[in-house]
Amino acid sequence: MTEITVPNPDRFRDLRAVVVNTTLKRSPELSNTQGLLDRSIALLRANGATVDTFRLVDHDVAPGVMPDMRDDGWPTDVWPTLWPRIAEADILIIGSPIWLGEQSSVTRRLIERLYAHSSETVESGLSPFHGKVGGVLVTGNEDGVKHVASSLTFSLQHLGYTIPPNADVGWIGPVGPGPSYLDDESDGPETDFTNQGTTFMTYNLLHVARLLKDAGGFPVGGNQPEAWSEGERFGFNAHPQPTQPQSEPTQTANPEHD
Amino acid sequence: MTEITVPNPDRFRDLRAVVVNTTLKRSPELSNTQGLLDRSIALLRANGATVDTFRLVDHDVAPGVMPDMRDDGWPTDVWPTLWPRIAEADILIIGSPIWLGEQSSVTRRLIERLYAHSSETVESGLSPFHGKVGGVLVTGNEDGVKHVASSLTFSLQHLGYTIPPNADVGWIGPVGPGPSYLDDESDGPETDFTNQGTTFMTYNLLHVARLLKDAGGFPVGGNQPEAWSEGERFGFNAHPQPTQPQSEPTQTANPEHD
Amino acid sequence: MTEITVPNPDRFRDLRAVVVNTTLKRSPELSNTQGLLDRSIALLRANGATVDTFRLVDHDVAPGVMPDMRDDGWPTDVWPTLWPRIAEADILIIGSPIWLGEQSSVTRRLIERLYAHSSETVESGLSPFHGKVGGVLVTGNEDGVKHVASSLTFSLQHLGYTIPPNADVGWIGPVGPGPSYLDDESDGPETDFTNQGTTFMTYNLLHVARLLKDAGGFPVGGNQPEAWSEGERFGFNAHPQPTQPQSEPTQTANPEHD
Amino acid sequence: MTEITVPNPDRFRDLRAVVVNTTLKRSPELSNTQGLLDRSIALLRANGATVDTFRLVDHDVAPGVMPDMRDDGWPTDVWPTLWPRIAEADILIIGSPIWLGEQSSVTRRLIERLYAHSSETVESGLSPFHGKVGGVLVTGNEDGVKHVASSLTFSLQHLGYTIPPNADVGWIGPVGPGPSYLDDESDGPETDFTNQGTTFMTYNLLHVARLLKDAGGFPVGGNQPEAWSEGERFGFNAHPQPTQPQSEPTQTANPEHD
């Protein structure tokens, strides 16, 4: 029989999480996505972690892919005040609604502005995102949790986040229009599948954040962009012996790649 | 100035990697995807890791989502002989071609057969995939590296793999038909962007595999399916205090979710 | 008040449809996807159309992107016997299951083999797919109808099919594991949303197939590959007057594309 | 030998097109996406069609999924002045940049605001989108044309647009960072593949718009939402005779759907 293991909350007491809700609804409108995010936030706090949370749509964030779009001609841009809240957190959870099967325009704006910092490097030579972990919570009426989660976890790992197992959690109702997560008739908050997934994702984020923090950040070695651009190749051999069949590898009539 | 760090190869000497090529071409046809995979394989071996590699299409793997499709009526199925090669590896790299912007049918078959093992648990109470790391290498003529990588890294993290940063690497030529990775006129093997990405992904996989192996596998606590099904909730509070605006959260006329 | 319009069945009597089920299950296993396909097939036949249907997995179709993979070294390949059934139909409906949020390996194989014919041209100078219409029916337990439909309608229009409105129909149950479309407890066949969508898609396919057939196939003019390759440009001006701001369009500090 | 056919420009003289650029850059910044859009605009005009074009980011469009977000609490929203420009056009072309492999936040906002009108009906009982045709032009540095086009053509057909063949056209450079479409060193405007695709898509949009306009709009019959909601079923038989194997269809041990 499996021994049930509950982590010691002291284990995570120094970890910081930021939870960004990319709903289209400004406060104080009720956000169903926030309803699901609150479940993870409560569990993070119960485990001793510090949690910061905001809705991106409440803030005047300019379109673009530069760290401060006022340098690019936009009259206002509050992203420079939001970025430090993300940069100092060990864990990022993005909450996204689904519209027509996709993440929202506000979700995409978050990714675009994070992307603006992707070529920055910190003291280790890695990006400000390395050493952090990311996960996604998605809500919608009917369809699209996996598709939205796939795009977002992809974006996060591309930036430098590490993605723990089971970082794609969400709630949707049956196919077609219907109640939303917080509607009384949806039983959203009682959905066992979503509750289990939220719990497991939250702990998996904590676990990997712990490992990376204890390692002093993402391990350095073989992965520094500036070193590569200066000519270091970290043992990469540009012309290795191939594993291809050696006895007359026959390129067939097939004119295509693959 | 950043200090350049090259890992000590002894650091990774006990790690095992399996590299699965999901080309549509059977051996001994020349596989461009294998050409790119060989770069990562060479670097893994240079770092002391043990590498096993095969093309899925060389093996008679039945369609389906069960561990052994012979139990489901198929006359033959060699998946049960391939699965242990994946199960014992700390690192999985999937190499996929791109066809019409998507991963191949063989890639998808690999995911379906891995998925068959997703509800299995090992001694820790987690799945056989927890504690492993995964990454993706993609080749094509013209377009689709990120889309294919997004789907595959999503699948892997859903199964239980941890995804390190920058696990989405590939090579494509300019838009439209054109030469393939190993064609002389493509300069595929000389593409600096792809070579850097391959190097960084390979080291990032090694680093996270090292962390997880040193931790004795993926950390256990708050994430065991059987415990959840037996009623353990790991501190998950089904009805937390919401962070929603408390002073009359106004549900507006908007009839939609979000 | 809207006048309700029911088409005259004689209107569609000369149309042919082929419905390809890409389930992973061979006959005679019960296919839930076929359960949904049967609804559209019945409606097509009630409207006078001729319907051919098969499961791709029942046939020994080789991997690859050539019209006959026996020319490429595969010992067997029955695709050449299936292709004419698709080539002679005015309407193609693909039925796909969802596995881990994606279409099946069998669905992908269908697309790969259709793709093998994409550079063929018929008498009009267009491809064998032009003049035909395509749609998609998707079933799964919980999530992914839109994602699968998006990939498949994309593939079909890329090949040359015209996609009518609302060609993305499906059935899924609530989030997480649960009953399948034909299971008694799913009420799949009674799902009003899916039934409406299936009805509308079926009629929309018939309507556009009718328009294209009455036009003598997809209209020719400005869209012939061979003519382009021979130098005809159909009025395309390689250097038009731009609509960009004329008074000193300022390329800003933004180093990125867009 | 194929007869080369060039359409008679008078054929398209009453057609209207709207071309929406969803770049992140406000005028008068140089937009590479507009550079590609201009090629299609010039060809549309050379064929007699009327073309309206704008950048969405130049306009203060509020987030949300209602026709006028001022009714939902937003202080400003110019969407109600843009919507008629789209509603009166027979052809919609969306131009999108690619950021991190995805369409932009501005592209997504366009879809969200179009979606707000999806449940409206016009005199025929169909939506305001039925009878129109849609296509997509995409530009980026390196990867993602097909993925962006797939999502956008999906959204358009879901709303009610008909998608002609080859409606997914774009330009990207080789993998990794590099020049943009209008940069001198990119040879973007000289890319034969993109030019052919732009030409063919433009004509295919014109052809199908012509067919639908000559048909008096999208054919009505079997596809009216209000009629369905009032109980009309258009011959849809809720319990057809299945095509499944009749002699003991054996549900196997496979507990999964499909």
Side-chain angles (χ1 to χ4, degrees), chain C residues 183-206:
Chain C
D183 289 345
D184 286 344
E185 64 271 37
S186 79
D187 282 332
E190 284 76 43
T191 306
D192 186 70
F193 175 82
T194 304
N195 289 348
Q196 175 180 337
T198 304
T199 301
F200 288 14
M201 179 178 91
T202 303
Y203 278 108
N204 288 348
L205 287 164
L206 287 166

Side-chain angles (χ1 to χ4, degrees), chain C residues 3 23 29 31 38-39 98 141 157-158 163 167-168 180 203 207 221 223-224 234 238 243-244 252 257-258, chain D residues 3 23 29 31 38-39 98 141 157-158 163 167-168 180 203-204 207 221 224 234 238 243-244 252 257-258:
Chain C
E3 185 184 0
T23 173
E29 273 195 88
S31 162
D38 283 348
R39 315 300 293 274
I98 309 169
N141 281 94
Q157 68 79 33
H158 188 89
I163 311 299
D168 60 306
S180 300
Y203 278 108
H207 285 309
N223 53 6
Q224 297 156 297
F234 303 108
T243 65
Q244 305 270 5
T252 67
H257 81 90
D258 188 336
Chain D
E3 184 185 0
T23 173
E29 273 195 89
S31 161
D38 284 348
R39 315 302 291 275
I98 309 170
N141 282 93
Q157 66 80 33
H158 188 89
I163 311 298
D168 59 307
S180 300
Y203 279 108
N204 288 349
H207 285 309
Q224 298 155 298
F234 303 108
T243 65
Q244 305 269 4
T252 66
H257 81 88
D258 188 336

